């Protein structure tokens, strides 16, 4: 195939591109310039799209002997990912920017452009597997990224290649070292790539401004603290609440009301939810018949839980969980899996959480 290798400058995308070359594909490398200030320097494992990342990607492409280009998608990234992230928090939601980036940048903007240029597929360094055109978990459970790919459609998956899904991260680094890639020991990126200092609350405050309001205890209705903006909280949060309660029992954020600027907290007994509702789902294959037994993963690193999936209001889904879960926030993605201990869990699709209780 004629394929476009998305090269971030990290070890995963470098090895993915190398394996595509080894497989005999006609490979062209592309680095996505997503930051408006690409001359900034990388800080360890934080941030992305720095001048160092672009240079690291180009160096690997040169060593592989493949053409290499830089595509400036900073404006599209700001509109579709960063602005969406800020708007979500302003509305009391907890959006996942990595999932949105995969959906709108890597597998919409990039794949569409690649196909228009005559490429058959886009190769990425995601830790996930494709089998028969269906998305499955990586064999490396600790690095599995199928959750943030659960939003992709069958058409998008048909144009994707994930060479790393059948190997561990240790093997990926070993391959990079064997080839002499300088990125073999480069730290993995973590946190939110466009907030390199890791201060999400500060990032949002700079864009939304101070919006003070009360923190209310659910059991008594008493105001137990104040805050400078609901965007500094997420459902399920325990630390950094800035409250004072008499019984000293841990409190968790139960709900966020951006209109009244009220953050409601409660004890662990009140924090668990048994039913989750989502908006209209997207499916990685043909839509399954409902009702459906499945497992759902409610956050990027959460443990999946069994559930009964039925049709919900407004074309969405209703998930009756086998066990109550904490930290289920509107804006998060509920990714559904069909467990398969032999072939690996199959990703069925996902819906964005709208309510939980």
């Amino acid at each position: 195939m004629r394929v476009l290798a998305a090269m971030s400058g990290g070890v995963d995308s470098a090895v993915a591109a190398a394996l595509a070359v080894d497989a005999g594909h006609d490979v062209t490398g592309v680095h996505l310039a997503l930051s408006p200030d690409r001359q900034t320097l990388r800080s360890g494992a934080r941030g992305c799209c720095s001048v160092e990342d672009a240079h690291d990607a180009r160096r690997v492409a040169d060593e592989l002997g493949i053409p290499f280009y830089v595509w400036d998608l900073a404006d599209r990234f700001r509109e579709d990912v960063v602005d969406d992230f800020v708007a979500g928090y302003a509305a009391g939601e907890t959006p996942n920017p990595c999932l949105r980036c995969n959906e709108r940048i890597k597998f919409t903007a990039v794949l569409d452009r690649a196909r228009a240029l005559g490429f058959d597929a886009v190769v990425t360094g995601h830790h996930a597997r494709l089998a028969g055109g269906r998305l499955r978990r990586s064999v490396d459970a600790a690095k599995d990224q199928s959750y943030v790919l659960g939003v992709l459609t069958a058409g998008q998956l048909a144009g994707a290649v994930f060479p790393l899904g059948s190997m561990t991260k240790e093997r990926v680094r070993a391959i990079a070292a064997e080839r002499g890639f300088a990125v073999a020991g480069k730290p993995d990126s973590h946190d939110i790539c466009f907030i390199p200092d890791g201060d999400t609350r500060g990032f949002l405050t700079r864009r939304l401004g101070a919006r003070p309001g009360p923190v209310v205890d659910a059991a008594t209705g008493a105001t137990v603290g104040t805050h400078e903006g609901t965007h500094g909280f997420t459902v399920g949060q325990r630390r950094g609440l800035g409250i004072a309660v008499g019984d000293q029992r841990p409190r968790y954020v139960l709900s966020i009301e951006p209109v009244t600027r009220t953050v409601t907290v409660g004890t662990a007994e009140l924090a668990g939810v048994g039913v989750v509702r989502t908006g209209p789902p997207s499916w990685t294959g043909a839509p399954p018949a409902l009702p459906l037994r499945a497992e759902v993963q409610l956050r990027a690193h959460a443990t999946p839980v069994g559930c009964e999936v039925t049709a919900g209001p407004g074309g969405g889904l209703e998930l009756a969980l086998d066990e109550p879960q904490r930290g289920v926030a509107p804006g998060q993605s509920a990714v559904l899996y069909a467990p398969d201990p032999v072939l690996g869990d199959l990703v069925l699709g996902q819906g964005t959480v709208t309510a939980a209780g």
Side-chain angles (χ1 to χ4, degrees):
M1 295 190 297
R2 185 167 180 248
V3 301
L4 191 73
M7 303 179 69
S8 66
V11 63
D12 289 329
S13 61
V15 171
L19 293 176
V21 171
D22 291 350
H25 300 307
D26 179 3
V27 183
T28 295
V30 62
H31 178 75
L32 306 181
L34 304 179
S35 170
D37 184 11
R38 291 182 291 279
Q39 296 307 308
T40 57
L41 297 179
R42 185 181 177 91
S43 177
R46 295 187 183 275
C48 73
C49 312
S50 69
V51 63
E52 297 149 299
D53 293 322
H55 289 167
D56 286 342
R58 183 180 296 277
R59 187 177 300 114
V60 170
D62 288 344
E63 292 172 357
L64 293 174
I66 62 175
F68 178 82
Y69 300 93
V70 174
W71 287 0
D72 187 346
L73 294 176
D75 289 343
R76 180 76 180 263
F77 182 77
R78 185 192 69 251
E79 294 171 2
D80 287 352
V81 179
V82 180
D83 290 352
D84 177 85
F85 177 82
V86 174
Y89 268 94
E93 300 174 346
T94 305
N96 186 309
C98 295
L99 185 146
R100 201 63 63 218
C101 181
N102 284 322
E103 176 192 21
R104 299 181 180 177
I105 303 298
K106 294 175 183 175
F107 293 98
T108 297
V110 174
L111 181 56
D112 287 350
R113 183 183 293 189
R115 283 172 165 163
L117 293 172
F119 290 94
D120 300 303
V122 171
V123 176
T124 75
H126 286 100
H127 285 263
R129 291 184 298 134
L130 284 170
R134 300 304 303 275
L135 181 65
R136 295 182 182 273
R137 288 193 187 275
S138 168
V139 299
D140 189 338
K143 292 296 181 180
D144 174 59
Q145 293 175 296
S146 62
Y147 175 85
V148 294
L149 298 172
V151 72
L152 301 184
T153 65
Q156 291 171 322
L157 291 170
V161 179
F162 304 134
L164 307 186
S166 296
M167 64 182 68
T168 64
K169 185 58 180 268
E170 289 73 19
R171 181 56 187 152
V172 172
R173 290 199 182 278
I175 291 173
E178 291 164 6
R179 291 176 175 267
F181 291 164
V183 296
K186 188 174 181 177
D188 290 338
S189 295
H190 63 81
D191 295 329
I192 299 170
C193 69
F194 52 86
I195 309 179
D197 63 2
D199 182 10
T200 300
R201 181 177 290 186
F203 173 87
L204 291 166
T205 298
R206 289 191 293 273
R207 281 154 179 78
L208 296 172
R211 300 181 178 185
V215 180
V216 175
D217 187 71
T220 64
T223 296
V224 293
T226 59
H227 63 79
E228 293 303 310
T230 58
H231 53 264
F233 301 86
T234 185
V235 172
Q237 179 178 334
R238 175 183 173 184
R239 301 183 185 280
L241 302 183
I243 61 175
V245 291
D247 60 17
Q248 302 302 311
R249 297 171 67 190
R251 295 301 198 272
Y252 300 81
V253 174
L254 303 182
S255 65
I256 298 168
E257 175 45 65
V259 175
T260 62
R261 302 178 181 178
T262 301
V263 176
T264 301
V265 299
T267 59
E269 293 81 2
L270 299 176
V273 300
V275 176
V276 176
R277 294 182 180 87
T278 80
S282 62
W283 303 105
T284 62
L290 301 178
L292 168 73
R293 278 294 302 175
E295 286 188 346
V296 61
Q297 187 169 330
L298 294 164
R299 297 183 305 281
H301 304 292
T303 301
V305 61
C307 65
E308 183 80 11
V309 184
T310 56
L317 301 175
E318 183 165 299
L319 316 177
L321 308 180
D322 290 354
E323 302 172 19
Q325 300 294 301
R326 296 181 192 168
V328 183
Q332 292 173 332
S333 182
V335 178
L336 297 170
Y337 293 81
D340 189 330
V342 177
L343 298 178
D345 294 353
L346 173 67
V347 182
L348 298 173
Q350 66 83 46
T352 300
V353 176
T354 58

